[in-house]
Amino acid sequence: MSIPAQDLSPFAARRKRLMDIMRTRGGGIAILPTAREAVRNRDAEFPYRFDSDFFYLTGFPEPEAWVVLVAGREDRSILFCRGKNLEREIWDGYRIGPEAAADQFGFDQAFPVESLADELPKLIADQPALFVPLAGDRLFDLSLRTWLDKVRAMGRSGATAPGCAHDLRAILAEMRLVKDASEIDTMRRAGAISAGAHVRAMRATRPGLREYEIEAELLHEFRRHGSQSVAYNSIVATGHNACVLHYRAGDAELKDGDLLLIDAGCELDGYASDITRTFPVNGRFSGPQRALYDIVLEAQKAATAHTRPGARWNDGHEAAVRVLAQGMIDEGLLSGTLDGVLESQHYTRFYMHRTGHWLGMDVHDVGDYREPGAPPSADETRPWRMLRPGMVLTIEPGIYVRPAADVPERFWDIGIRIEDDAVVTETGCELITRGVPVAADEIEALMS
């Protein structure tokens, strides 16, 4: 997988920051492989996608690569990667090679990946601690055990093995939770591409088409603007399919009078976007569709108002749920008082997911949703994470109504979700995916 030329200084800064964190824990050695290539079927592989943590530290896009960082009196950054091989490059494409990789990506040293078995025991020896992905991959665990056994075998020569291990994934999750300026710039560009794709899909939609035809419009727009991939399998769901949360674009026909729910986003230079829009196939909302749509949009506005520095992660969800629950009562989907519906959680019959998730290199990005550390007491849970500038999350309320005897028939098979990507700023949040209309009147105007 090739990534366009970019400023590589943020990757070096992240490696330095990680080594500074390692020093606060006594120093040691961090070891992290990228993702392996995966076979799809005979003589064919899935399109390659690097490991997110590995790419976050290196910017290096090729498979069969490892990053090693040594934090001590003198820091060292080392890359292991595939060597140059003319024959394989004829078949599989250009390889950067260790010599060019060290210079281009800012590493102190680079070695052929074939030298791992010889070099890693020497690098591990006499380090106070390991920083590795604990129990994350069976083959990595086996390799690590082999290297440690070699270090222990050098004991009579005075070498010692690390005395403790830290979970590198947990450290990187905290680092990745707050995005730097280069990450946010990439995510803005990814959001703009995805918004354009949703606009294209709205304009293309009409009765008689199939879900996969609209998916093709999305994919065309993603690729023609430089996106390397989808961020996740696109959801293109018409009619009752919109009530299936993780529905895949299929061959269902788009029918006059139905809604179409599209949840789709591209991946650009390793970063995801994530947008959902729901709109009428014929370009005009019916009365019941518009009633539920406006409730969901008001819920998103309420959640957005609570997405700001100092607010807690769950504040936006709770604000959205109050609007959704009251709307369900007003439209006859639920009965009782708002407080009663909230306490009983009867609203989950029609709204069963949370109002957002972290977004970054992974569409459901890393990072705890509660504050790290122990709870205040054994009887309490950790408080929800406090939002800080640079965090990026989605805001995506919805309503999904399946047919049932106690549900007004006019709402049957209506599934609605509205989702945008939000960057927490110093004063509130910025919705970076509003290049596609969201108000019902604006959608109808676009489709007309």
Side-chain angles (χ1 to χ4, degrees), residues 94-419:
Y94 175 76
R95 294 183 178 186
I96 296 170
E99 184 175 342
D103 179 62
Q104 181 178 342
F105 291 86
F107 285 90
D108 297 317
Q109 293 175 286
F111 297 101
V113 70
E114 293 80 8
S115 65
L116 266 175
D118 293 329
E119 297 295 334
L120 258 296
K122 292 184 286 186
L123 291 167
I124 292 172
D126 298 325
Q127 293 297 329
L130 289 169
F131 292 79
V132 293
L134 294 178
D137 180 271
R138 184 179 62 85
L139 293 179
F140 174 84
D141 292 346
L142 291 173
S143 297
L144 183 60
R145 178 175 179 175
T146 299
W147 299 330
L148 288 172
D149 285 343
K150 288 185 178 180
V151 174
R152 294 178 183 121
M154 296 187 289
R156 292 186 181 181
S157 302
T160 59
C164 64
H166 303 276
D167 188 2
L168 182 58
R169 297 287 190 195
I171 298 171
L172 290 173
E174 283 297 301
M175 290 178 59
R176 286 172 52 188
L177 185 55
V178 177
K179 274 60 179 176
D180 60 37
S182 67
E183 293 178 285
I184 292 174
D185 177 67
T186 301
M187 295 185 74
R188 280 200 183 97
R189 291 188 286 121
I193 293 171
S194 294
H198 278 259
V199 168
R200 181 188 181 101
M202 284 182 182
R203 287 176 170 155
T205 295
R206 62 182 184 274
L209 295 181
R210 301 282 177 172
E211 291 167 339
Y212 60 75
E213 294 179 89
I214 304 303
E215 180 188 26
E217 299 289 339
L218 297 164
L219 297 175
H220 178 86
E221 197 72 6
F222 291 165
R223 288 296 284 144
R224 73 185 288 260
H225 287 287
S227 162
Q228 293 88 5
S229 175
V230 295
Y232 52 97
N233 293 322
S234 300
I235 298 169
V236 181
T238 188
H240 67 273
N241 293 335
C243 294
V244 180
L245 298 183
H246 289 167
Y247 179 83
R248 291 282 301 275
D251 62 356
E253 181 181 348
L254 281 55
K255 296 180 180 179
D256 195 347
D258 281 349
L259 293 176
L260 180 64
L261 185 155
I262 298 178
D263 186 339
C266 73
E267 179 177 287
L268 179 69
D269 296 351
Y271 286 83
S273 58
D274 189 0
I275 303 175
T276 305
R277 290 293 186 269
T278 310
F279 53 92
V281 169
N282 63 13
R284 300 289 295 180
F285 287 94
S286 69
Q289 291 169 351
R290 178 67 181 262
L292 296 189
Y293 187 91
D294 286 346
I295 292 169
V296 175
L297 184 55
E298 287 303 311
Q300 194 197 41
K301 291 177 181 177
T304 301
H306 286 79
T307 304
R308 60 181 186 268
R312 295 287 179 181
W313 163 261
N314 209 44
D315 291 350
H317 175 69
E318 292 178 349
V321 164
R322 291 189 68 85
V323 173
L324 292 171
Q326 184 62 61
M328 293 173 194
I329 294 170
D330 293 343
E331 294 299 330
L333 291 172
L334 296 175
S335 59
T337 66
L338 176 59
D339 289 342
V341 166
L342 293 174
E343 183 177 359
S344 65
Q345 296 190 349
H346 286 165
Y347 64 85
T348 59
R349 179 180 179 185
F350 305 109
Y351 179 54
M352 60 292 294
H353 59 79
R354 300 195 69 81
T355 309
H357 52 79
W358 301 130
L359 184 70
M361 299 192 75
D362 301 305
V363 68
H364 288 180
D365 208 31
V366 293
D368 284 344
Y369 290 93
R370 294 188 181 272
E371 293 291 348
S377 72
D379 297 329
E380 299 179 32
T381 58
R382 291 179 293 151
W384 291 103
R385 175 82 68 166
M386 185 173 290
L387 300 181
R388 297 162 51 194
M391 292 179 172
V392 184
L393 60 148
T394 65
I395 305 176
E396 51 175 309
I399 290 179
Y400 315 90
V401 185
R402 294 174 177 272
D406 60 342
V407 173
E409 189 173 352
R410 65 184 181 276
F411 295 124
W412 285 8
D413 291 327
I414 293 179
I416 296 170
R417 183 164 64 254
I418 303 171
E419 178 181 20

Side-chain angles (χ1 to χ4, degrees), residues 47-88:
Y48 181 71
R49 206 278 189 179
F50 41 73
D51 174 79
S52 293
D53 282 336
F54 176 89
F55 189 79
Y56 177 78
L57 292 174
T58 66
F60 191 77
E62 294 183 2
E64 297 184 72
W66 297 64
V67 60
V68 177
L69 303 177
V70 179
R73 287 190 296 272
E74 292 185 6
D75 291 343
R76 295 173 64 193
S77 61
I78 304 164
L79 180 72
F80 291 84
C81 64
R82 298 182 303 185
K84 299 292 289 180
N85 184 316
L86 179 59
E87 181 178 358
R88 292 317 312 166

